[in-house]
Amino acid sequence: MQDRRRFGKARLLLADEVGVGKTLSMAGSAVVSALLGDGPVLILSPSTLTFQWQVEMKDRLGVPSAVWSSVEKAWVSVDGRMLSPRKDLKSIGRCPCRIGIVSTGIIMHQYDAGTKKFTRESEVLLNGVYGLVILDEAHRARAQGTEQRRKKNNLLRFMERAGRRTRHMILGTATPIQTQVRELWDLLETLGGDAPHVLGDALSPWRDMERALPLVTGEAGADGMREEERWQWLCNPMPPRFEDPALDDLRDAAGEDDGCFVSRALYRDLAGAYEFRSALDACAGRDWFKFHNPVLRCTVLRKRSMLEEKGLLVRVGVRLHPLGTDADAGRKYGYHFNGLALPTQPSFDEAYAAAEEFCRLLAARTPSAGFMKSLLLKRICSSYEAGRSTAEKLLGRGSMEEDWAEGEDDEEEMRESFLSNLSPAEEACLKTVSRLLEQESVRDKKLETIRWFLTEFRTDGKNWLEHGCIIFSQYYDTAAHVAGWLAAELGDEPVALYAGVGRSRLFLGHSSAAEEREPIKRAVKNREIRVVVATDAACEGLNLQTLGTLINCDLPWNPSRMEQRLGRIKRFGQSRECVDMLNLVYRGTLDERIYSVLSERMKNIYDLFGSLPETIDDAWIDEQESLQERLDKYVHERDEARNAFTLTYDDRLDPEADQWEECSRVLSRRDIEEEMDKGW
């Protein structure tokens, strides 16, 4: 509301930590924008979250909305009714409700690289004009590559264009910085489309991240600048008056009113005026730009620790297991661990060596293979079953469709060429992996360890089954195998498998049946299900605070996802004062090498945007020392930006603003529903 009044349009990056209420904050903004008559509201979210957005808006806010079904090509109500004709692509531009929710998946796949234009539904959406566009999990809009050759993905391209078609825009993500600070600037530049108050115009020095970052972090200050240079940083964009009395004087001296965000006044024309020089001198402190810069101005960050200190959230701690510093760790954990890792059998060690050789051969044959080079190693580190089934699929004995979920869209042809051109040596490695692991899956040490923690290990007087537990894996093969094995072991204890669309199941004993995800979530909320095995389809937007423990079956090679996983239970509504997290890795594997480096950092991963990169590059893991060096460099670069975000909950608010005086009427529930039922 403040930015709407001050700048005419609100362009904000909502970077709240996981579990403190980003979704409801954005939903509330959507309702306010719609009620003020700003125009249609478009909410973009991952496909797994679209209906959750719709349900939460209805249940928490009492507001109707429509979800675009990518299957039916029609708008769907919260009760499943079709609100528009089926198979009509143009209907996406005519949402029957004021708020429309669309999956980002369709945008990722609807771009013609030849014409550099979006197609199908995405094209229709970009022809619309909006009052507010919201992007949930905004870190998915990103560019990759070197600074000289960065390639934007389709979602980032779409958002940049959408920024010129909307009045307001909110980008929501707990991890706006993933592998480099440049990604934060990508999001800010997206917000700045047709909004010069964000980063100024094309000539603004704030668009040059290399120059701007030292000012934002306080590494460099205004005190060392010439007056003319200081004016260049202050005039494009011009800060609002309320931030400091000196800015009030500076605007008056330059003859700029509150509606001016980029001053065209030249320093040489102003330098002779005493008022101007005096105001400019007041903006010369060492930390001036550290506390007055566009990054702070457009970012809303509420950290859990800050909200806990203010009494707005109950403090929830995290206990990590196993802890390598425990002198008595072996006895404490039932002698399941050897250090931080689980011991393996000789057959697994031989299979793992064959998998390493396969990856070495593949990397030598195709240096540009990307994540394919480590495909088999990632899965064999997850579970014996995932290693076996992946080897079979690479040999052409099964579909690899699920395994490509984390790959880039433009690698499809490369994947097909890998599968059809395996060398005899590569095939021999895969057959060795499959043969050795075929009879070993039931002896997987991870299975026994998970069962022991659920039924034997006690914290706060209860075993983990009594606390309730979610067990995460990156891969469906592992998750399905763990769920089935656990259900057979636990007898009459229901075990839910929460996975991608159409792949969730409910297990009881030796039987299982397909189940939709919504009934599973309801059963967990009602404490009817105490054990959930989930793929990372559950990692974003799922609320499982009724569960008190978490087990990571494998270590994501994008380890900031660890925080996303933990955020499923460490969130508002968690009844435990301290939740437990168990991390499982096999001895002698890359996962153990990575975890030995990350484990100490994971004790304190709640700094600015998380302290771990979104992706660990394959080249980082050749040697443990190399990984340590790379991560240290990464964390140092992340820390350069951290001090800029010392906002507290109250600091964003203009103390002189009395927004209640602007209210002209109080709306009834019927008024709101009638307004929200108006289409685009």
mmCIF file of all heavy atoms in Angstrom, residues 12 63 87 159 193 235 271 279 285 312 320 345 355 388 412 456 477-478 561 597 619 626 628 647:
data_model
loop_
_atom_site.group_PDB
_atom_site.id
_atom_site.type_symbol
_atom_site.label_atom_id
_atom_site.label_comp_id
_atom_site.label_asym_id
_atom_site.label_seq_id
_atom_site.Cartn_x
_atom_site.Cartn_y
_atom_site.Cartn_z
ATOM 1 N N LEU A 12 8.039 -5.423 -5.610
ATOM 2 C CA LEU A 12 8.698 -5.906 -4.400
ATOM 3 C C LEU A 12 9.221 -7.322 -4.548
ATOM 4 O O LEU A 12 8.579 -8.181 -5.180
ATOM 5 C CB LEU A 12 7.734 -5.858 -3.214
ATOM 6 C CG LEU A 12 7.247 -4.463 -2.805
ATOM 7 C CD1 LEU A 12 6.088 -4.562 -1.844
ATOM 8 C CD2 LEU A 12 8.395 -3.667 -2.189
ATOM 9 N N VAL A 63 -11.634 -16.083 -0.196
ATOM 10 C CA VAL A 63 -11.619 -15.425 -1.505
ATOM 11 C C VAL A 63 -11.630 -16.475 -2.617
ATOM 12 O O VAL A 63 -10.771 -17.358 -2.648
ATOM 13 C CB VAL A 63 -10.367 -14.534 -1.640
ATOM 14 C CG1 VAL A 63 -10.214 -14.019 -3.063
ATOM 15 C CG2 VAL A 63 -10.457 -13.376 -0.659
ATOM 16 N N LYS A 87 -10.508 -26.928 -23.843
ATOM 17 C CA LYS A 87 -9.647 -26.939 -25.035
ATOM 18 C C LYS A 87 -9.684 -25.618 -25.796
ATOM 19 O O LYS A 87 -9.544 -25.601 -27.022
ATOM 20 C CB LYS A 87 -10.035 -28.098 -25.968
ATOM 21 C CG LYS A 87 -10.099 -29.460 -25.294
ATOM 22 C CD LYS A 87 -8.785 -29.850 -24.632
ATOM 23 C CE LYS A 87 -8.883 -31.203 -23.935
ATOM 24 N NZ LYS A 87 -7.638 -31.561 -23.200
ATOM 25 N N MET A 159 8.892 -13.196 -17.327
ATOM 26 C CA MET A 159 8.671 -12.217 -16.263
ATOM 27 C C MET A 159 9.184 -10.837 -16.657
ATOM 28 O O MET A 159 8.592 -9.814 -16.301
ATOM 29 C CB MET A 159 9.325 -12.686 -14.965
ATOM 30 C CG MET A 159 8.688 -13.915 -14.347
ATOM 31 S SD MET A 159 6.903 -13.738 -14.061
ATOM 32 C CE MET A 159 6.883 -12.386 -12.881
ATOM 33 N N GLY A 193 11.157 -3.425 -14.758
ATOM 34 C CA GLY A 193 10.536 -3.203 -16.058
ATOM 35 C C GLY A 193 9.399 -2.204 -15.952
ATOM 36 O O GLY A 193 8.416 -2.449 -15.242
ATOM 37 N N CYS A 235 20.678 10.340 -8.042
ATOM 38 C CA CYS A 235 19.645 10.880 -8.925
ATOM 39 C C CYS A 235 18.984 9.827 -9.802
ATOM 40 O O CYS A 235 17.987 10.124 -10.468
ATOM 41 C CB CYS A 235 20.233 11.991 -9.808
ATOM 42 S SG CYS A 235 21.315 11.408 -11.131
ATOM 43 N N ALA A 271 25.493 22.673 -8.835
ATOM 44 C CA ALA A 271 26.617 22.758 -7.901
ATOM 45 C C ALA A 271 26.777 24.126 -7.258
ATOM 46 O O ALA A 271 27.330 24.236 -6.149
ATOM 47 C CB ALA A 271 27.912 22.361 -8.621
ATOM 48 N N ALA A 279 22.838 19.624 1.116
ATOM 49 C CA ALA A 279 22.109 18.349 1.141
ATOM 50 C C ALA A 279 23.003 17.206 0.681
ATOM 51 O O ALA A 279 22.967 16.098 1.232
ATOM 52 C CB ALA A 279 20.864 18.442 0.268
ATOM 53 N N GLY A 285 28.114 10.009 4.367
ATOM 54 C CA GLY A 285 28.665 9.120 5.377
ATOM 55 C C GLY A 285 29.172 7.816 4.796
ATOM 56 O O GLY A 285 28.773 7.394 3.709
ATOM 57 N N LEU A 312 6.482 -12.725 17.627
ATOM 58 C CA LEU A 312 5.491 -12.970 16.581
ATOM 59 C C LEU A 312 5.509 -14.416 16.095
ATOM 60 O O LEU A 312 4.582 -14.866 15.441
ATOM 61 C CB LEU A 312 5.740 -12.022 15.403
ATOM 62 C CG LEU A 312 5.590 -10.538 15.741
ATOM 63 C CD1 LEU A 312 6.046 -9.677 14.580
ATOM 64 C CD2 LEU A 312 4.154 -10.213 16.105
ATOM 65 N N LEU A 320 20.512 -31.713 14.747
ATOM 66 C CA LEU A 320 21.016 -32.487 13.621
ATOM 67 C C LEU A 320 21.537 -33.837 14.091
ATOM 68 O O LEU A 320 22.168 -33.931 15.149
ATOM 69 C CB LEU A 320 22.143 -31.730 12.915
ATOM 70 C CG LEU A 320 21.756 -30.500 12.098
ATOM 71 C CD1 LEU A 320 23.007 -29.810 11.593
ATOM 72 C CD2 LEU A 320 20.861 -30.876 10.936
ATOM 73 N N GLN A 345 28.156 -52.729 2.162
ATOM 74 C CA GLN A 345 28.658 -54.066 1.885
ATOM 75 C C GLN A 345 29.651 -54.030 0.720
ATOM 76 O O GLN A 345 29.628 -53.106 -0.089
ATOM 77 C CB GLN A 345 27.500 -55.009 1.526
ATOM 78 C CG GLN A 345 26.544 -55.289 2.665
ATOM 79 C CD GLN A 345 25.473 -54.227 2.797
ATOM 80 O OE1 GLN A 345 25.190 -53.515 1.844
ATOM 81 N NE2 GLN A 345 24.894 -54.109 3.985
ATOM 82 N N ALA A 355 29.945 -47.566 -11.118
ATOM 83 C CA ALA A 355 29.203 -46.347 -11.445
ATOM 84 C C ALA A 355 30.153 -45.175 -11.658
ATOM 85 O O ALA A 355 29.963 -44.352 -12.560
ATOM 86 C CB ALA A 355 28.211 -46.022 -10.323
ATOM 87 N N ARG A 388 20.181 -49.333 -8.848
ATOM 88 C CA ARG A 388 19.862 -50.465 -9.724
ATOM 89 C C ARG A 388 18.900 -50.077 -10.834
ATOM 90 O O ARG A 388 19.131 -50.358 -12.015
ATOM 91 C CB ARG A 388 19.248 -51.606 -8.898
ATOM 92 C CG ARG A 388 18.914 -52.864 -9.708
ATOM 93 C CD ARG A 388 17.839 -53.693 -9.023
ATOM 94 N NE ARG A 388 16.577 -52.963 -8.932
ATOM 95 C CZ ARG A 388 15.736 -52.820 -9.959
ATOM 96 N NH1 ARG A 388 16.021 -53.302 -11.153
ATOM 97 N NH2 ARG A 388 14.605 -52.163 -9.782
ATOM 98 N N GLU A 412 17.072 -32.115 -24.066
ATOM 99 C CA GLU A 412 16.330 -33.295 -24.476
ATOM 100 C C GLU A 412 17.058 -34.094 -25.546
ATOM 101 O O GLU A 412 17.200 -35.312 -25.462
ATOM 102 C CB GLU A 412 14.942 -32.882 -24.990
ATOM 103 C CG GLU A 412 14.000 -34.059 -25.214
ATOM 104 C CD GLU A 412 13.670 -34.757 -23.901
ATOM 105 O OE1 GLU A 412 13.467 -34.071 -22.900
ATOM 106 O OE2 GLU A 412 13.642 -35.998 -23.919
ATOM 107 N N GLU A 456 12.916 -46.840 17.712
ATOM 108 C CA GLU A 456 13.791 -47.039 18.868
ATOM 109 C C GLU A 456 14.383 -45.742 19.418
ATOM 110 O O GLU A 456 14.444 -45.553 20.640
ATOM 111 C CB GLU A 456 14.939 -47.993 18.495
ATOM 112 C CG GLU A 456 14.488 -49.343 17.984
ATOM 113 C CD GLU A 456 13.772 -50.163 19.040
ATOM 114 O OE1 GLU A 456 14.087 -49.971 20.238
ATOM 115 O OE2 GLU A 456 12.907 -50.979 18.691
ATOM 116 N N ASP A 477 12.185 -43.475 -7.249
ATOM 117 C CA ASP A 477 12.553 -44.876 -7.015
ATOM 118 C C ASP A 477 12.881 -45.114 -5.547
ATOM 119 O O ASP A 477 12.431 -46.095 -4.946
ATOM 120 C CB ASP A 477 13.770 -45.250 -7.873
ATOM 121 C CG ASP A 477 13.408 -45.371 -9.342
ATOM 122 O OD1 ASP A 477 12.213 -45.503 -9.637
ATOM 123 O OD2 ASP A 477 14.322 -45.314 -10.183
ATOM 124 N N THR A 478 13.679 -44.218 -4.976
ATOM 125 C CA THR A 478 14.037 -44.353 -3.562
ATOM 126 C C THR A 478 12.813 -44.180 -2.674
ATOM 127 O O THR A 478 12.570 -44.985 -1.760
ATOM 128 C CB THR A 478 15.107 -43.314 -3.179
ATOM 129 O OG1 THR A 478 16.295 -43.562 -3.916
ATOM 130 C CG2 THR A 478 15.414 -43.365 -1.690
ATOM 131 N N ARG A 561 18.138 -26.754 -0.881
ATOM 132 C CA ARG A 561 16.869 -27.477 -0.766
ATOM 133 C C ARG A 561 16.740 -28.144 0.598
ATOM 134 O O ARG A 561 15.634 -28.478 1.024
ATOM 135 C CB ARG A 561 16.754 -28.513 -1.889
ATOM 136 C CG ARG A 561 15.382 -29.169 -1.957
ATOM 137 C CD ARG A 561 15.191 -29.928 -3.243
ATOM 138 N NE ARG A 561 15.132 -29.021 -4.382
ATOM 139 C CZ ARG A 561 15.089 -29.430 -5.650
ATOM 140 N NH1 ARG A 561 15.094 -30.714 -5.920
ATOM 141 N NH2 ARG A 561 15.037 -28.563 -6.636
ATOM 142 N N VAL A 597 31.822 -31.756 4.491
ATOM 143 C CA VAL A 597 32.099 -30.331 4.357
ATOM 144 C C VAL A 597 30.904 -29.497 4.819
ATOM 145 O O VAL A 597 31.049 -28.467 5.466
ATOM 146 C CB VAL A 597 32.469 -29.977 2.901
ATOM 147 C CG1 VAL A 597 32.621 -28.469 2.725
ATOM 148 C CG2 VAL A 597 33.760 -30.683 2.505
ATOM 149 N N ALA A 619 32.368 -29.884 -10.971
ATOM 150 C CA ALA A 619 33.806 -29.637 -10.867
ATOM 151 C C ALA A 619 34.239 -29.382 -9.424
ATOM 152 O O ALA A 619 35.414 -29.530 -9.094
ATOM 153 C CB ALA A 619 34.198 -28.449 -11.745
ATOM 154 N N SER A 626 39.011 -29.142 -2.721
ATOM 155 C CA SER A 626 38.474 -28.231 -3.734
ATOM 156 C C SER A 626 37.068 -27.793 -3.363
ATOM 157 O O SER A 626 36.712 -26.620 -3.488
ATOM 158 C CB SER A 626 38.474 -28.908 -5.107
ATOM 159 O OG SER A 626 37.837 -28.098 -6.064
ATOM 160 N N GLN A 628 35.796 -27.670 -0.354
ATOM 161 C CA GLN A 628 35.900 -26.759 0.789
ATOM 162 C C GLN A 628 36.241 -25.348 0.316
ATOM 163 O O GLN A 628 35.637 -24.364 0.740
ATOM 164 C CB GLN A 628 36.991 -27.270 1.738
ATOM 165 C CG GLN A 628 37.209 -26.392 2.958
ATOM 166 C CD GLN A 628 36.160 -26.631 4.014
ATOM 167 O OE1 GLN A 628 35.891 -27.771 4.376
ATOM 168 N NE2 GLN A 628 35.541 -25.574 4.495
ATOM 169 N N LEU A 647 17.077 -5.265 7.688
ATOM 170 C CA LEU A 647 15.756 -4.690 7.941
ATOM 171 C C LEU A 647 15.080 -5.385 9.105
ATOM 172 O O LEU A 647 15.169 -6.592 9.260
ATOM 173 C CB LEU A 647 14.865 -4.871 6.705
ATOM 174 C CG LEU A 647 15.200 -4.034 5.479
ATOM 175 C CD1 LEU A 647 14.252 -4.396 4.360
ATOM 176 C CD2 LEU A 647 15.069 -2.566 5.792
#
